[in-house]
Amino acid sequence: GSREECQYGYGHVHSERRVINIDAIPKEFSEIIDTLTGARNPPESPNQIIALRYTPPYHLPAHVDAHVFDGTVHTLCLGSGVVLTFHDGEDRYDIEHPRRALVTMKGCSRYSCTHCILSGDTDVIGGEVVKRKTRYALTFRRVLDAHLPPSPMHDE
């Protein structure tokens, strides 16, 4: 579709609801991870990154991030900003996610609300209709120890 994805650290296979070992997290992300680690309680490093590229028109289906991840999910928006829509079962909340901003989901927004990007090529931001451009997003999560796959075996 209009979304390209690359995962680092661990891969989450959505269709199988399991976690696999994949490419190590590139060292270029270490400064961001160090900053996020200090902002988490308890201070644990994210061990999975999803790099996403969305080209208009695009959408992200409504979902709650899988429970194989801990209670904090960070998403850094690069490129075009977008409106994230949260639903708690009764109410809808539209949250602007501007370019170069970090959104952290925990508590209700992590476990009780679905979040999505509504389908289309425009958003209403500050009362104005804004045409979507290419959006890049980096999502940082931590796979819970209970869901970590066995370490890969290497032939020597």
Side-chain angles (χ1 to χ4, degrees):
S2 59
R3 178 174 108 167
E4 296 174 70
E5 175 180 302
C6 184
Q7 298 184 47
Y8 298 101
Y10 293 99
H12 182 242
V13 183
H14 301 280
S15 61
E16 299 174 19
R17 295 180 179 231
R18 69 183 184 100
V19 176
I20 60 172
N21 289 302
I22 56 172
D23 297 332
I25 294 174
K27 66 180 188 302
E28 289 79 7
F29 292 112
S30 62
E31 190 173 329
I32 297 170
I33 287 175
D34 290 346
T35 300
L36 295 176
T37 299
R40 295 167 65 90
N41 187 13
E44 295 181 298
S45 294
N47 59 12
Q48 192 225 24
I49 298 175
I50 306 170
L52 296 152
R53 177 181 162 203
Y54 300 86
T55 53
Y58 53 81
H59 78 285
L60 177 65
H63 68 285
V64 173
D65 285 33
H67 288 345
V68 300
F69 303 103
D70 76 1
T72 305
V73 176
H74 307 279
T75 300
L76 179 62
C77 182
L78 305 169
S80 181
V82 73
V83 171
L84 298 175
T85 299
F86 290 82
H87 290 273
D88 67 2
E90 294 180 18
D91 296 314
R92 171 180 156 174
Y93 306 91
D94 291 330
I95 309 295
E96 293 179 22
H97 192 190
R99 178 177 171 265
R100 295 167 51 175
L102 180 74
V103 166
T104 298
M105 292 183 289
K106 57 185 178 178
C108 178
S109 66
R110 165 68 177 97
Y111 290 113
S112 302
C113 294
T114 61
H115 61 278
C116 67
I117 298 172
L118 298 176
S119 185
D121 60 1
T122 61
D123 287 296
V124 178
I125 298 177
E128 294 185 33
V129 176
V130 178
K131 189 141 180 81
R132 288 183 184 167
K133 298 178 184 167
T134 300
R135 175 179 187 254
Y136 300 91
L138 298 172
T139 297
F140 298 83
R141 306 186 288 199
R142 181 168 184 80
V143 177
L144 295 168
D145 290 348
H147 298 281
L148 290 175
S151 295
M153 306 267 306
H154 298 285
D155 292 333
E156 304 229 0

